[in-house]
Amino acid sequence: MLHTADGWKLYNRADGTVSLTDTAWRRDSRLELIGEAGQLPAAEALEAKLAACLAHH
């Protein structure tokens, strides 16, 4: 769930299909990654990339 300039959005991607739908108010934005072992980026690398996105906001 992400708080965007267009309101709260729920972003899902599974099996090559992406969906972005409106959702109700949330207290905070969150990111959950679910995947096969060895297929996800290292937590530290992902955190650094996300922090870089915020720094350029």
Side-chain angles (χ1 to χ4, degrees):
M1 275 147 289
L2 305 168
H3 188 218
T4 72
D6 294 322
W8 289 93
K9 303 291 181 179
L10 174 61
Y11 175 87
N12 272 316
R13 186 176 120 186
D15 297 324
T17 301
V18 173
S19 66
L20 183 65
T21 55
D22 294 335
T23 189
W25 174 89
R26 307 285 183 196
R27 185 183 326 198
D28 57 359
S29 295
R30 66 188 63 190
L31 174 68
E32 294 180 9
L33 297 175
I34 302 169
E36 298 292 326
Q39 298 297 313
L40 297 174
E44 296 81 13
L46 180 60
E47 185 175 355
K49 288 182 180 186
L50 290 170
C53 289
L54 292 173
H56 290 101
H57 182 333

